[in-house]
Amino acid sequence: MSERHVLVLPDRDAAEEVAEELPARFAVVEEPQLVRDALAGEDDAEDAQWLVVVEDPEGRLDSSALDELAAEYEGWLEAP
């Protein structure tokens, strides 16, 4: 079953580091997408979270392990 996982990170640097770690740790084949998520009502780039979107076409990635990775960078795995 195909799934999409969204990891929420506090800044772009953290998001980029997580995106770089995903292939080695989880054998992710597709390149994760980085998406800037501005907080409601905020225009300042400093007030933005970054999302790392991971496609999981075979539904094989462990959500707990993804959440642990995000937590290492002060982030979390968004609940589906």
Side-chain angles (χ1 to χ4, degrees):
M1 179 170 135
S2 182
E3 293 183 45
R4 174 178 287 160
H5 303 280
V6 179
L7 290 78
V8 182
L9 286 303
D11 56 45
R12 183 179 185 135
D13 290 340
E16 288 175 344
E17 288 182 38
V18 167
E20 288 176 12
E21 281 197 45
L22 283 166
R25 278 184 148 174
F26 298 97
V28 172
V29 177
E30 291 187 36
E31 186 172 337
Q33 287 183 293
L34 297 179
V35 180
R36 181 180 177 269
D37 184 35
L39 300 177
E42 298 294 336
D43 293 327
D44 189 351
E46 296 299 318
D47 294 323
Q49 296 173 327
W50 282 80
L51 309 178
V52 177
V53 180
V54 183
E55 298 295 336
D56 185 11
E58 297 173 12
R60 62 176 182 75
L61 296 177
D62 179 3
S63 296
S64 298
L66 289 171
D67 191 41
E68 288 174 16
L69 172 61
E72 291 175 23
Y73 293 89
E74 300 178 14
W76 64 91
L77 175 66
E78 189 69 21

Coordinates of all heavy atoms in Angstrom, one line a residue:
M1 N 0.8 -1.2 0.0 CA 0.0 0.0 0.0 C 0.9 1.2 0.0 O 1.8 1.4 0.8 CB -0.9 0.0 1.2 CG -1.8 1.2 1.4 SD -3.0 0.8 2.7 CE -2.9 2.4 3.5
S2 N 0.7 2.1 -0.9 CA 1.5 3.3 -1.1 C 1.2 4.3 0.0 O 0.0 4.5 0.4 CB 1.2 4.0 -2.4 OG 2.0 5.1 -2.6
E3 N 2.2 4.9 0.6 CA 2.1 5.9 1.6 C 3.0 7.1 1.3 O 3.9 7.0 0.6 CB 2.5 5.3 3.0 CG 1.7 4.2 3.5 CD 2.1 3.7 4.9 OE1 2.4 4.6 5.7 OE2 2.2 2.5 5.1
R4 N 2.6 8.2 2.0 CA 3.4 9.4 1.9 C 3.7 9.8 3.4 O 2.8 9.9 4.2 CB 2.7 10.5 1.2 CG 3.4 11.9 1.2 CD 2.7 12.9 0.5 NE 2.8 12.6 -0.9 CZ 2.1 13.1 -1.9 NH1 1.0 13.8 -1.6 NH2 2.3 12.8 -3.2
H5 N 5.0 10.0 3.7 CA 5.3 10.4 5.0 C 5.8 11.9 5.0 O 6.5 12.3 4.1 CB 6.5 9.5 5.6 CG 6.1 8.1 5.6 ND1 5.4 7.5 6.5 CD2 6.4 7.1 4.7 CE1 5.3 6.2 6.3 NE2 5.9 5.9 5.1
V6 N 5.4 12.6 6.0 CA 5.8 14.1 6.0 C 6.5 14.3 7.4 O 5.9 14.2 8.4 CB 4.5 15.0 5.9 CG1 5.0 16.4 6.0 CG2 3.8 14.7 4.6
L7 N 7.8 14.6 7.2 CA 8.6 15.0 8.4 C 8.6 16.5 8.5 O 8.9 17.2 7.5 CB 10.0 14.4 8.3 CG 10.1 12.9 8.4 CD1 9.7 12.2 7.1 CD2 11.5 12.5 8.8
V8 N 8.3 17.0 9.7 CA 8.3 18.5 9.9 C 9.6 18.8 10.7 O 9.9 18.3 11.8 CB 7.1 18.9 10.8 CG1 7.0 20.4 11.0 CG2 5.8 18.4 10.1
L9 N 10.3 19.8 10.1 CA 11.6 20.2 10.7 C 11.6 21.7 10.9 O 10.9 22.4 10.3 CB 12.8 19.8 9.7 CG 13.2 18.4 9.6 CD1 13.5 17.8 10.9 CD2 12.2 17.5 8.9
P10 N 12.4 22.1 11.9 CA 12.4 23.6 12.3 C 13.0 24.5 11.3 O 12.7 25.7 11.3 CB 13.2 23.6 13.6 CG 14.1 22.4 13.5 CD 13.3 21.4 12.7
D11 N 13.9 24.1 10.4 CA 14.5 25.0 9.5 C 15.0 24.2 8.3 O 15.0 23.0 8.2 CB 15.7 25.8 10.1 CG 16.7 24.9 10.8 OD1 17.2 23.9 10.1 OD2 17.2 25.2 11.9
R12 N 15.5 25.0 7.3 CA 15.9 24.4 6.0 C 17.1 23.5 6.2 O 17.2 22.4 5.6 CB 16.2 25.5 5.0 CG 16.6 24.9 3.6 CD 16.8 25.9 2.6 NE 17.1 25.3 1.3 CZ 16.6 25.7 0.2 NH1 15.8 26.7 0.1 NH2 16.8 25.0 -0.9
D13 N 18.1 23.9 7.0 CA 19.3 23.1 7.2 C 19.0 21.7 7.7 O 19.5 20.7 7.3 CB 20.3 23.8 8.1 CG 20.9 25.1 7.5 OD1 20.9 25.2 6.2 OD2 21.4 25.9 8.2
A14 N 18.1 21.7 8.7 CA 17.7 20.4 9.3 C 17.0 19.6 8.3 O 17.2 18.3 8.2 CB 16.8 20.6 10.5
A15 N 16.1 20.2 7.5 CA 15.4 19.4 6.4 C 16.3 18.8 5.4 O 16.2 17.7 5.0 CB 14.4 20.3 5.8
E16 N 17.3 19.6 5.0 CA 18.3 19.1 4.0 C 19.1 18.0 4.6 O 19.4 17.0 3.9 CB 19.2 20.3 3.6 CG 18.5 21.3 2.7 CD 19.3 22.5 2.3 OE1 20.4 22.7 2.9 OE2 19.0 23.2 1.3
E17 N 19.5 18.1 5.8 CA 20.3 17.0 6.5 C 19.5 15.7 6.6 O 20.0 14.6 6.3 CB 20.8 17.4 7.8 CG 21.9 18.5 7.8 CD 22.4 18.9 9.1 OE1 22.5 18.0 10.0 OE2 22.7 20.1 9.3
V18 N 18.2 15.8 6.9 CA 17.3 14.7 7.0 C 17.2 14.1 5.6 O 17.2 12.8 5.5 CB 16.0 15.0 7.7 CG1 14.9 13.9 7.5 CG2 16.2 15.3 9.1
A19 N 16.9 14.9 4.6 CA 16.7 14.4 3.3 C 18.0 13.7 2.8 O 17.9 12.7 2.1 CB 16.4 15.6 2.3
E20 N 19.2 14.1 3.2 CA 20.4 13.4 2.8 C 20.6 12.1 3.5 O 21.2 11.2 3.0 CB 21.6 14.3 3.1 CG 21.7 15.5 2.2 CD 22.9 16.5 2.5 OE1 23.7 16.1 3.4 OE2 22.9 17.6 2.0
E21 N 20.1 12.0 4.8 CA 20.2 10.8 5.5 C 19.2 9.7 5.1 O 19.5 8.5 5.3 CB 20.0 11.1 7.0 CG 21.3 11.7 7.7 CD 21.2 11.6 9.2 OE1 20.9 10.5 9.7 OE2 21.5 12.6 9.8
L22 N 18.1 10.1 4.6 CA 17.0 9.1 4.3 C 17.5 7.9 3.4 O 17.2 6.8 3.7 CB 15.8 9.8 3.7 CG 15.0 10.5 4.7 CD1 14.0 11.5 4.0 CD2 14.2 9.5 5.6
P23 N 18.2 8.2 2.3 CA 18.6 7.0 1.4 C 19.5 6.1 2.2 O 19.3 4.8 2.0 CB 19.3 7.7 0.3 CG 18.8 9.1 0.2 CD 18.5 9.5 1.7
A24 N 20.4 6.5 3.0 CA 21.4 5.6 3.7 C 20.7 4.9 4.8 O 20.9 3.7 4.9 CB 22.5 6.4 4.2
R25 N 19.8 5.5 5.5 CA 19.2 4.9 6.7 C 18.0 4.0 6.3 O 17.7 3.0 6.9 CB 18.7 5.9 7.7 CG 19.7 6.4 8.6 CD 19.1 7.4 9.6 NE 19.7 7.3 10.9 CZ 19.4 8.1 11.9 NH1 18.5 9.0 11.7 NH2 20.1 8.0 13.0
F26 N 17.3 4.4 5.3 CA 16.0 3.7 4.9 C 16.0 3.2 3.5 O 14.9 2.7 3.1 CB 14.8 4.6 5.2 CG 14.7 5.1 6.6 CD1 15.2 6.3 7.0 CD2 14.1 4.3 7.5 CE1 15.1 6.7 8.3 CE2 14.0 4.7 8.9 CZ 14.5 5.9 9.2
A27 N 17.0 3.3 2.8 CA 17.1 2.8 1.4 C 16.0 3.5 0.6 O 15.3 2.8 -0.3 CB 17.1 1.3 1.3
V28 N 15.7 4.7 0.8 CA 14.7 5.4 0.0 C 15.2 5.6 -1.4 O 16.3 6.1 -1.6 CB 14.4 6.8 0.7 CG1 13.5 7.7 -0.2 CG2 13.8 6.6 2.1
V29 N 14.4 5.2 -2.4 CA 14.8 5.3 -3.8 C 14.5 6.7 -4.4 O 15.3 7.3 -5.0 CB 14.1 4.2 -4.6 CG1 14.4 4.3 -6.0 CG2 14.4 2.8 -4.0
E30 N 13.2 7.1 -4.1 CA 12.8 8.4 -4.7 C 13.4 9.6 -3.8 O 13.4 9.5 -2.6 CB 11.3 8.6 -4.7 CG 10.7 7.7 -5.7 CD 9.2 7.9 -5.8 OE1 8.8 9.1 -5.8 OE2 8.4 7.0 -6.0
E31 N 13.9 10.6 -4.5 CA 14.4 11.7 -3.8 C 13.3 12.4 -3.0 O 12.3 12.8 -3.5 CB 15.1 12.7 -4.7 CG 15.8 13.8 -4.0 CD 16.6 14.7 -5.0 OE1 16.9 14.3 -6.1 OE2 16.8 15.9 -4.6
P32 N 13.5 12.7 -1.7 CA 12.5 13.3 -0.9 C 12.4 14.8 -1.3 O 13.3 15.4 -1.8 CB 13.1 13.3 0.6 CG 14.2 12.3 0.5 CD 14.7 12.2 -0.9
Q33 N 11.1 15.3 -1.2 CA 10.9 16.7 -1.5 C 11.0 17.6 -0.3 O 10.6 17.2 0.8 CB 9.4 16.8 -2.0 CG 9.1 16.3 -3.4 CD 7.7 16.6 -3.7 OE1 6.8 16.0 -3.1 NE2 7.5 17.4 -4.7
L34 N 11.6 18.7 -0.5 CA 11.7 19.7 0.6 C 10.7 20.8 0.3 O 10.6 21.3 -0.9 CB 13.1 20.4 0.6 CG 14.2 19.4 1.0 CD1 15.5 20.2 1.0 CD2 14.0 18.8 2.3
V35 N 9.8 21.2 1.3 CA 8.8 22.1 1.1 C 8.8 23.1 2.3 O 8.8 22.7 3.4 CB 7.4 21.4 1.0 CG1 6.3 22.5 0.8 CG2 7.4 20.4 -0.1
R36 N 8.8 24.4 1.9 CA 8.7 25.4 3.0 C 7.3 25.6 3.4 O 6.4 25.7 2.6 CB 9.3 26.8 2.5 CG 9.3 27.9 3.5 CD 9.8 29.1 2.9 NE 9.7 30.2 3.8 CZ 8.7 31.1 4.0 NH1 7.7 30.9 3.2 NH2 8.7 32.0 4.9
D37 N 7.0 25.5 4.7 CA 5.7 25.7 5.2 C 5.6 26.9 6.1 O 5.9 26.8 7.3 CB 5.3 24.4 6.0 CG 3.9 24.4 6.5 OD1 3.0 24.9 5.8 OD2 3.7 23.8 7.6
A38 N 5.2 28.0 5.6 CA 5.1 29.2 6.4 C 4.0 29.1 7.4 O 2.9 28.6 7.1 CB 4.9 30.4 5.5
L39 N 4.3 29.6 8.6 CA 3.2 29.5 9.6 C 2.2 30.6 9.3 O 2.5 31.6 8.7 CB 3.9 29.8 11.0 CG 4.9 28.8 11.4 CD1 5.5 29.2 12.7 CD2 4.3 27.4 11.5
A40 N 1.0 30.3 9.7 CA -0.2 31.2 9.3 C 0.1 32.6 9.8 O 0.4 32.8 10.9 CB -1.4 30.6 10.0
G41 N -0.1 33.5 8.9 CA 0.1 34.9 9.2 C 1.5 35.4 9.2 O 1.7 36.6 9.6
E42 N 2.4 34.6 9.0 CA 3.8 35.0 9.1 C 4.5 35.1 7.7 O 4.3 34.1 6.9 CB 4.6 34.0 9.9 CG 4.2 33.9 11.3 CD 4.4 35.2 12.1 OE1 5.3 35.9 11.8 OE2 3.6 35.4 13.1
D43 N 5.1 36.2 7.4 CA 5.8 36.3 6.1 C 7.3 36.2 6.2 O 8.0 36.0 5.2 CB 5.5 37.8 5.5 CG 4.1 37.9 5.1 OD1 3.4 36.9 4.7 OD2 3.5 39.0 5.3
D44 N 7.8 36.2 7.4 CA 9.2 36.1 7.6 C 9.7 34.7 7.4 O 9.2 33.8 8.0 CB 9.5 36.6 9.1 CG 11.0 36.8 9.3 OD1 11.8 36.3 8.5 OD2 11.4 37.3 10.4
A45 N 10.8 34.5 6.7 CA 11.3 33.2 6.4 C 11.8 32.5 7.7 O 11.9 31.3 7.8 CB 12.5 33.3 5.4
E46 N 12.1 33.3 8.7 CA 12.5 32.7 10.0 C 11.4 32.0 10.7 O 11.6 31.2 11.5 CB 13.1 33.8 10.9 CG 14.3 34.5 10.4 CD 15.5 33.5 10.2 OE1 15.7 32.7 11.0 OE2 16.2 33.6 9.1
D47 N 10.2 32.3 10.3 CA 9.0 31.7 11.0 C 8.4 30.6 10.1 O 7.2 30.4 10.0 CB 7.9 32.8 11.2 CG 8.4 33.8 12.3 OD1 9.1 33.4 13.2 OD2 8.1 35.0 12.1
A48 N 9.3 29.9 9.4 CA 8.8 28.8 8.6 C 9.3 27.5 9.0 O 10.5 27.4 9.5 CB 9.3 29.1 7.1
Q49 N 8.5 26.5 8.9 CA 8.9 25.1 9.2 C 9.2 24.6 7.8 O 8.8 25.1 6.8 CB 7.8 24.3 9.8 CG 7.5 24.8 11.2 CD 6.3 24.0 11.7 OE1 5.4 23.6 11.0 NE2 6.2 23.8 13.0
W50 N 10.0 23.5 7.7 CA 10.3 22.8 6.5 C 9.8 21.4 6.6 O 9.9 20.8 7.6 CB 11.8 22.9 6.2 CG 12.2 24.2 5.7 CD1 12.4 25.3 6.4 CD2 12.4 24.6 4.3 NE1 12.7 26.4 5.6 CE2 12.7 25.9 4.3 CE3 12.3 23.9 3.1 CZ2 13.0 26.6 3.1 CZ3 12.6 24.6 1.9 CH2 12.9 25.9 2.0
L51 N 9.2 21.0 5.5 CA 8.7 19.6 5.4 C 9.6 18.8 4.5 O 10.0 19.3 3.4 CB 7.3 19.6 4.8 CG 6.3 20.6 5.5 CD1 4.9 20.5 4.7 CD2 6.1 20.3 6.9
V52 N 9.8 17.6 4.9 CA 10.5 16.6 4.0 C 9.4 15.5 3.7 O 8.9 14.8 4.6 CB 11.7 15.9 4.7 CG1 12.3 14.9 3.8 CG2 12.7 17.0 5.1
V53 N 9.0 15.5 2.4 CA 8.0 14.6 2.0 C 8.6 13.3 1.3 O 9.4 13.5 0.4 CB 7.1 15.3 1.0 CG1 6.0 14.3 0.5 CG2 6.5 16.5 1.6
V54 N 8.3 12.2 1.9 CA 8.9 10.9 1.5 C 7.8 10.0 0.9 O 6.9 9.7 1.6 CB 9.6 10.2 2.6 CG1 10.3 8.9 2.2 CG2 10.6 11.1 3.4
E55 N 8.0 9.7 -0.4 CA 7.0 8.7 -1.0 C 7.5 7.3 -0.6 O 8.7 7.0 -0.7 CB 7.0 8.9 -2.5 CG 6.5 10.3 -3.0 CD 5.1 10.6 -2.6 OE1 4.3 9.6 -2.4 OE2 4.7 11.8 -2.5
D56 N 6.5 6.5 -0.2 CA 6.8 5.1 0.2 C 5.8 4.2 -0.6 O 4.8 3.7 -0.1 CB 6.5 5.0 1.7 CG 6.9 3.7 2.3 OD1 7.5 2.8 1.5 OD2 6.5 3.4 3.4
P57 N 6.1 4.0 -1.9 CA 5.2 3.3 -2.8 C 4.9 1.8 -2.3 O 3.8 1.3 -2.6 CB 5.8 3.2 -4.1 CG 7.3 3.6 -3.9 CD 7.3 4.3 -2.6
E58 N 5.8 1.2 -1.6 CA 5.5 -0.1 -1.1 C 5.1 -0.2 0.3 O 4.9 -1.3 0.9 CB 6.8 -1.0 -1.3 CG 7.2 -1.1 -2.8 CD 8.6 -1.7 -3.0 OE1 9.1 -2.3 -2.0 OE2 9.1 -1.7 -4.1
G59 N 5.0 0.9 1.0 CA 4.5 1.0 2.4 C 5.4 0.2 3.3 O 5.0 -0.4 4.3
R60 N 6.7 0.3 3.1 CA 7.7 -0.5 3.9 C 8.4 0.3 4.9 O 9.1 -0.2 5.8 CB 8.7 -1.2 3.0 CG 9.5 -0.3 2.2 CD 10.6 -1.1 1.3 NE 11.4 -0.2 0.6 CZ 12.4 0.6 1.1 NH1 12.6 0.5 2.4 NH2 13.1 1.4 0.4
L61 N 8.3 1.6 4.9 CA 9.1 2.5 5.9 C 8.4 2.4 7.3 O 7.2 2.5 7.4 CB 9.2 3.9 5.4 CG 10.0 4.1 4.1 CD1 9.9 5.6 3.7 CD2 11.4 3.6 4.2
D62 N 9.3 2.4 8.3 CA 8.8 2.3 9.7 C 8.6 3.7 10.2 O 9.5 4.5 10.3 CB 9.9 1.6 10.5 CG 9.5 1.5 12.0 OD1 8.4 1.9 12.4 OD2 10.4 1.0 12.7
S63 N 7.3 4.0 10.5 CA 6.9 5.4 10.9 C 7.6 5.7 12.2 O 8.1 6.9 12.4 CB 5.4 5.4 11.2 OG 4.7 5.3 9.9
S64 N 7.8 4.8 13.1 CA 8.5 5.1 14.4 C 10.0 5.5 14.1 O 10.5 6.4 14.8 CB 8.5 3.9 15.3 OG 7.2 3.6 15.7
A65 N 10.6 4.8 13.2 CA 12.0 5.1 12.9 C 12.1 6.5 12.2 O 13.0 7.3 12.5 CB 12.6 4.1 12.0
L66 N 11.2 6.8 11.4 CA 11.1 8.1 10.7 C 10.9 9.2 11.8 O 11.6 10.3 11.7 CB 10.0 8.2 9.6 CG 10.3 7.4 8.4 CD1 9.0 7.4 7.5 CD2 11.5 7.9 7.6
D67 N 10.0 9.0 12.7 CA 9.8 10.0 13.8 C 11.0 10.2 14.6 O 11.4 11.3 15.0 CB 8.6 9.5 14.6 CG 8.1 10.6 15.6 OD1 8.1 11.8 15.2 OD2 7.8 10.3 16.7
E68 N 11.8 9.1 14.9 CA 13.0 9.2 15.7 C 14.1 10.0 14.9 O 14.8 10.8 15.5 CB 13.6 7.8 16.0 CG 12.7 7.0 17.0 CD 13.2 5.6 17.2 OE1 14.4 5.3 16.8 OE2 12.5 4.8 17.8
L69 N 14.2 9.8 13.6 CA 15.1 10.6 12.8 C 14.7 12.1 12.9 O 15.6 12.9 13.1 CB 15.1 10.1 11.3 CG 15.9 11.0 10.4 CD1 17.4 11.0 10.7 CD2 15.7 10.4 8.9
A70 N 13.5 12.4 12.7 CA 13.0 13.8 12.7 C 13.3 14.4 14.1 O 13.8 15.5 14.2 CB 11.6 13.9 12.4
A71 N 13.1 13.6 15.2 CA 13.3 14.1 16.5 C 14.8 14.4 16.8 O 15.1 15.3 17.6 CB 12.8 13.0 17.5
E72 N 15.7 13.7 16.1 CA 17.1 14.0 16.2 C 17.4 15.5 15.8 O 18.4 16.0 16.2 CB 18.0 13.1 15.4 CG 18.0 11.6 16.0 CD 18.7 10.7 15.0 OE1 19.6 11.1 14.2 OE2 18.4 9.5 15.1
Y73 N 16.5 16.0 14.9 CA 16.7 17.4 14.4 C 15.6 18.3 14.9 O 15.3 19.3 14.3 CB 16.7 17.3 12.9 CG 17.9 16.6 12.3 CD1 17.8 15.2 12.1 CD2 19.0 17.3 12.0 CE1 19.0 14.6 11.6 CE2 20.1 16.6 11.5 CZ 20.1 15.3 11.3 OH 21.2 14.6 10.8
E74 N 15.1 18.0 16.1 CA 14.0 18.8 16.7 C 12.7 18.9 15.9 O 12.1 19.9 15.9 CB 14.5 20.2 17.1 CG 15.7 20.1 18.1 CD 16.3 21.5 18.4 OE1 15.6 22.5 18.1 OE2 17.4 21.5 19.0
G75 N 12.4 17.8 15.2 CA 11.2 17.7 14.4 C 10.4 16.6 14.8 O 10.6 15.9 15.8
W76 N 9.4 16.2 13.9 CA 8.5 15.1 14.2 C 7.9 14.6 12.8 O 8.0 15.3 11.8 CB 7.4 15.5 15.1 CG 6.5 16.6 14.5 CD1 5.3 16.3 13.8 CD2 6.6 18.0 14.7 NE1 4.7 17.5 13.5 CE2 5.5 18.6 14.0 CE3 7.5 18.8 15.3 CZ2 5.3 19.9 13.9 CZ3 7.4 20.2 15.2 CH2 6.3 20.7 14.5
L77 N 7.4 13.4 12.9 CA 6.7 12.9 11.8 C 5.2 13.3 11.9 O 4.6 13.0 12.9 CB 6.8 11.3 11.7 CG 6.0 10.6 10.7 CD1 6.5 10.9 9.3 CD2 6.1 9.1 10.9
E78 N 4.7 13.9 10.9 CA 3.3 14.3 10.9 C 2.4 13.1 10.8 O 2.6 12.2 10.0 CB 3.0 15.2 9.7 CG 1.7 15.9 9.7 CD 1.5 17.0 10.8 OE1 2.5 17.5 11.3 OE2 0.4 17.3 11.1
A79 N 1.4 13.1 11.7 CA 0.4 11.9 11.7 C -0.4 11.9 10.4 O -0.7 13.0 9.9 CB -0.5 12.0 12.9
P80 N -0.7 10.8 9.8 CA -1.4 10.7 8.6 C -2.8 11.2 8.7 O -3.4 11.3 9.7 CB -1.4 9.2 8.2 CG -0.9 8.5 9.4 CD -0.3 9.5 10.3

